[in-house]
Amino acid sequence: MKFPGHTRGDWRLEDSEQGPRIVIPTRPIWLVAAFMGLWLAGWTAGEVSALKTIFGAGTWASKSFIAFWLCGWTAGGIFAWAIFLATSGLAREALWRDGPDLCVRWSVLGLGWTFRYSVVAMGPLSAPEPVPRAAVSGLGAGLVVADDDAPLRPTALGESSGSSFKAGGESEGVRFSYAGKEASVGKLLDEGQAARLAEVMSLRFGL
């Protein structure tokens, strides 16, 4: 089942020092983020209280249960923070071509992790079937790939956005096979934006 209201934010194509870069924001889920924020306020109070007990007066034997409880409480808090950040709209997925690799980086508040996919080992990109779109015929003419002896580095010609291609419900994003498994980028983009993203990745990144 697809829920158009839960799709990702509009992707955008930007200039950067490394060449074209596609940034896909996450869309905030306010009810979940607000609930987790309130829960984390209580979690912080419990964490501080437990630490005061552990490092306060008394024997360590009498504090063993609090120490054991604190381990589970801290683990639960880390999981809750992950949910809060994921639903707050602060996370970003960035795509760019770095020589022979397609780079995909997920980040929140400057922290994140990067996946690298060797382009020669990637299968063809696949996405939902493109849908009819109006007033966007001129955009494709500006999508070019550098064609000289230098390392492949597509040239960006300004900023573009996926907002002109919205259509359908949420999708599995742009998929491709890699190392015998299926990988994807832009997961939960709506179908129209995912289809256009696949076209732009193919043209700008030489995929």
Side-chain angles (χ1 to χ4, degrees):
M1 184 178 295
K2 299 176 180 179
F3 304 93
H6 294 174
T7 52
R8 296 274 294 278
D10 304 327
W11 61 262
R12 61 185 184 275
L13 177 66
E14 303 175 340
D15 287 309
S16 71
E17 294 181 357
Q18 294 77 31
R21 176 185 293 254
I22 297 170
V23 179
I24 313 171
T26 55
R27 189 181 298 278
I29 305 176
W30 296 116
L31 288 178
V32 177
F35 173 80
M36 295 309 301
L38 292 173
W39 192 91
L40 285 168
W43 173 85
T44 302
E47 190 87 355
V48 171
S49 177
L51 288 172
K52 286 182 177 179
T53 300
I54 290 176
F55 293 102
T59 64
W60 280 104
S62 64
K63 300 174 184 177
S64 58
F65 173 77
I66 295 297
F68 177 77
W69 175 87
L70 183 62
C71 291
W73 187 249
T74 301
I78 293 173
F79 182 70
W81 271 110
I83 296 176
F84 174 74
L85 292 173
T87 57
S88 64
L90 298 174
R92 298 289 185 271
E93 182 182 13
L95 319 173
W96 70 94
R97 176 77 182 263
D98 183 17
D101 297 334
L102 170 68
C103 299
V104 180
R105 178 172 177 79
W106 277 93
S107 61
V108 180
L109 301 177
L111 303 175
W113 56 94
T114 301
F115 302 93
R116 303 180 73 95
Y117 300 94
S118 175
V119 172
V120 297
M122 289 174 55
L125 303 180
S126 63
E129 287 295 323
V131 297
R133 297 176 287 265
V136 295
S137 58
L139 183 60
L143 302 177
V144 297
V145 176
D147 188 19
D148 52 28
D149 294 330
L152 183 61
R153 183 77 70 188
T155 302
L157 300 176
E159 183 174 316
S160 301
S161 171
S163 59
S164 300
F165 306 94
K166 292 180 179 179
E170 64 185 36
S171 72
E172 293 298 315
V174 179
R175 303 179 305 279
F176 56 90
S177 60
Y178 189 79
K181 299 180 180 179
E182 185 177 89
S184 64
V185 296
K187 194 176 180 65
L188 300 185
L189 281 172
D190 69 41
E191 294 168 335
Q193 290 209 48
R196 184 55 176 169
L197 178 61
E199 297 171 355
V200 172
M201 290 177 62
S202 178
L203 291 166
R204 286 297 183 98
F205 298 157
L207 302 178

